[in-house]
Amino acid sequence: MAEEKSAAEQLREQLCNTRKNGRLTADDETLATADRYCEGYKQFINTAKTEREAAAAAVRLAEAKGFVPFEIGKKYESGDKVYFNNRGKTVAFAVIGTEPIENGFNITAAHIDSPRLDLKPNPLYEELELGLFKTHYYGGIRKYQWPTVPLALHGVFVKKDGTVIPVTLGEAADEPKFVVNDLLPHLAAEQSKRPLSEGIRGEELNVLVGSHPFREDKGSELVKLNILKLLNEKYGVCEEDFLSAELELVPAFPACDIGFDRSLIGGYGQDDRVCAYPALTAILAVEKPKRTALAILTDKEEIGSVGNTGLSSSFLRYIAGDLAAIQHADPTVALRHSRCLSADVNAGMDPTFQDVFERRNASKLNYGVVVTKYTGARGKSSTSDASAEYMAEVRELLDRTGIIWQTGELGKVDIGGGGTVAMFIADLGVDVVDLGVPVLSMHAPFETTAKLDVYMCYRAMFEFMK
Ligand code: MN
Ligand code: MN
């Protein structure tokens, strides 16, 4: 005979917020589907380690599903699939809805840039007969984490005639890699007294790139000369071509499963490709939505969404204008009626560093996709604080469609803080809230996420746009 629930138990079920670990509540089929989904995700982040590579990979996948470049002046019907490519670094995918565009878009937005080491315009030098690159780090890295990690070189040289020469070196097992070196403990007594934030300083993030001198006994800097010779043979470039290049050093290892039970994923650049991949795969699965669906994969979030490929620029406004023009509609009306899931990661609670979190409001791995009402710092400054009305809509959608979800805040008040693209989309009059995946070791060369959360992020994006 089943035991009767006590009055308190019944009341608790009725009134209390009792979210449970998703790996306890999800059925086996959901867990298996999440595992399969994450195989595709791992492949994606292995081939898309920079915004350019992620944009190109996204376009390839979208074209295979029938998306075509948007053309101004062309006629489009509901169900048509188009994309906008902003300089190869930011891409937006749209599926035209059955309702008038002035009814608003359902927008998802994630970013495809990640923290890394960028080469300076004059990077190459020789010191003590070793060849090195000077770097300027990109985004909020903890500098001490980057030495003694195998690195790969990604990016482009652009010649004066406009020829773009892509570079990817260090990813294949038989390709050479690069490394920032650090002091040995025996000689690090002084360095170890520095605060952690200065354990490695910005100008110490120098990358070792060679040691073989050009074999001639006359002349100086023969190692550097030999590296230039190799670069010229492989890419057809000379030293001045670094002036018109975007070359980035990223961790050279692939994504992998973490843990005996394989429930987690470790890999570089999961902030925010762990939301970009769900946003992309969700819009690829959208067929005939009521409201026009729009998925944006953007550049430059990690440095404040600046520049003409960042979301604080006008490109989203222009895209809304182009789409509205199909129906001779007013894009500002469409934007005012739009809603958005700004898809970005949140900090999952780390068992080793619990003090920085306020546990009643922090997100946890395996508790599903995390909705973050506001980010910001010091009294919610520099954020978009989603309205209660919009939160209610999102809650209703997630609960109705059986998505495992939680809420999160980025650390304790006055300790945490951060920003996402949400506030720039809110600037256009759009209702927006952050929704994404909890991450451990965010911005480190190797970040950790949970498979179930990644899959729930996909499901949320799909239900929102379909
Ligand atoms: Mn992010
Ligand atoms: Mn970030």
Side-chain angles (χ1 to χ4, degrees):
M1 199 179 98
E3 241 173 79
E4 277 280 302
K5 279 183 181 163
S6 73
E9 275 170 337
Q10 286 178 32
L11 201 58
R12 193 174 294 124
E13 257 175 36
Q14 218 182 323
L15 298 182
C16 293
N17 181 350
T18 51
R19 285 175 195 284
K20 294 199 176 73
N21 185 318
R23 295 197 79 89
L24 286 174
T25 57
D27 56 32
D28 290 347
E29 201 191 316
T30 303
L31 293 175
T33 311
D35 287 350
R36 274 198 305 278
Y37 180 78
C38 287
E39 291 306 305
Y41 167 59
K42 284 186 287 180
Q43 266 179 32
F44 180 79
I45 59 174
N46 286 342
T47 53
K49 290 194 172 181
T50 67
E51 60 278 0
R52 283 179 192 267
E53 291 170 356
V59 165
R60 276 198 302 277
L61 291 171
E63 284 185 338
K65 290 275 186 182
F67 283 78
V68 294
F70 180 84
E71 287 174 51
I72 290 171
K74 208 178 144 189
K75 284 200 172 21
Y76 291 99
E77 310 285 331
S78 66
D80 282 351
K81 300 172 174 184
V82 295
Y83 71 87
F84 301 80
N85 189 337
N86 182 1
R87 296 167 170 84
K89 297 182 188 182
T90 286
V91 280
F93 303 91
V95 182
I96 312 299
T98 52
E99 288 182 8
I101 279 175
E102 284 191 355
N103 286 11
F105 306 106
N106 281 358
I107 305 169
T108 58
H111 67 92
I112 49 177
D113 61 319
S114 296
R116 60 186 188 230
L117 305 179
D118 285 355
L119 293 199
K120 292 191 184 191
N122 289 305
L124 182 61
Y125 69 104
E126 175 174 340
E127 198 78 62
L128 300 177
E129 290 162 83
L130 295 173
L132 296 123
F133 277 156
K134 291 300 293 179
T135 67
H136 193 142
Y137 64 93
Y138 173 95
I141 66 166
R142 306 190 73 193
K143 294 186 270 291
Y144 76 88
Q145 293 175 337
W146 290 72
T148 68
V149 168
L151 300 169
L153 186 66
H154 290 238
V156 294
F157 285 104
V158 183
K159 305 280 283 182
K160 279 196 280 188
D161 67 2
T163 315
V164 177
I165 302 159
V167 175
T168 315
L169 187 61
E171 291 295 339
D174 62 345
E175 282 178 351
K177 296 172 182 39
F178 307 94
V179 70
V180 174
N181 287 288
D182 197 1
L183 265 181
L184 60 168
H186 319 62
L187 296 179
E190 285 305 312
Q191 186 200 30
S192 299
K193 289 179 197 157
R194 298 182 191 171
L196 190 57
S197 60
E198 287 177 34
I200 290 288
R201 298 189 177 118
E203 291 295 352
E204 292 170 342
L205 289 168
N206 302 321
V207 183
L208 186 61
V209 296
S211 74
H212 180 76
F214 183 72
R215 282 160 70 90
E216 190 181 289
D217 43 15
K218 291 193 291 283
S220 59
E221 301 206 321
L222 295 173
V223 172
K224 175 178 170 180
L225 186 65
N226 191 58
I227 290 166
L228 285 171
K229 177 173 165 280
L230 293 173
L231 286 171
N232 186 261
E233 285 164 6
K234 192 168 168 70
Y235 302 110
V237 296
C238 60
E239 190 172 13
E240 291 232 339
D241 290 321
F242 279 107
L243 299 176
S244 52
E246 283 174 359
L247 292 162
E248 301 150 11
L249 287 143
V250 297
F253 35 72
C256 61
D257 289 347
I258 296 281
F260 291 112
D261 52 28
R262 310 187 80 118
S263 57
L264 308 160
I265 299 171
Y268 163 70
Q270 298 206 67
D271 173 8
D272 184 33
R273 287 169 211 131
V274 74
C275 299
Y277 183 73
L280 171 67
T281 47
I283 197 151
L284 299 192
V286 167
E287 282 304 332
K288 248 194 179 181
K290 280 193 189 137
R291 289 153 64 94
T292 295
L294 183 59
I296 303 158
L297 309 185
T298 183
D299 181 27
K300 293 289 182 282
E301 192 278 343
E302 293 296 356
I303 58 168
S305 296
V306 292
N308 62 3
T309 55
L311 254 178
S312 73
S313 82
S314 294
F315 77 78
L316 178 52
R317 210 187 308 260
Y318 299 155
I319 287 172
D322 287 346
L323 288 170
I326 298 171
Q327 301 176 358
H328 309 289
D330 183 343
T332 63
V333 175
L335 282 169
R336 268 181 285 163
H337 292 155
S338 293
R339 45 188 180 234
C340 174
L341 296 179
S342 159
D344 210 341
V345 296
N346 199 325
M349 277 240 278
D350 187 321
T352 309
F353 302 104
Q354 294 184 43
D355 329 355
V356 296
F357 297 93
E358 190 271 280
R359 57 193 308 135
R360 286 169 193 81
N361 284 285
S363 64
K364 289 165 78 175
L365 266 63
N366 285 325
Y367 276 67
V369 65
V370 46
V371 179
T372 307
K373 189 172 180 294
Y374 50 84
T375 56
R378 295 170 306 281
K380 297 190 178 181
S381 80
S382 290
T383 186
S384 150
D385 193 351
S387 71
E389 288 84 350
Y390 187 52
M391 284 295 285
E393 269 184 52
V394 172
R395 270 178 71 199
E396 190 280 327
L397 172 79
L398 297 175
D399 283 343
R400 174 166 44 81
T401 51
I403 289 163
I404 299 168
W405 69 282
Q406 58 182 326
T407 56
E409 214 183 10
L410 196 76
K412 278 181 177 163
V413 175
D414 290 342
I415 286 186
T420 65
V421 299
M423 62 186 204
F424 305 109
I425 295 171
D427 277 352
L428 300 173
V430 176
D431 271 316
V432 55
V433 69
D434 278 301
L435 175 146
V437 175
V439 180
L440 301 182
S441 308
M442 193 197 295
H443 287 201
F446 193 74
E447 303 171 307
T448 302
T449 56
K451 289 182 180 177
L452 184 65
D453 302 333
V454 182
Y455 177 58
M456 287 300 150
C457 185
Y458 162 76
R459 285 215 44 218
M461 302 289 178
F462 177 69
E463 294 295 342
F464 179 76
M465 291 191 292
K466 79 166 191 205

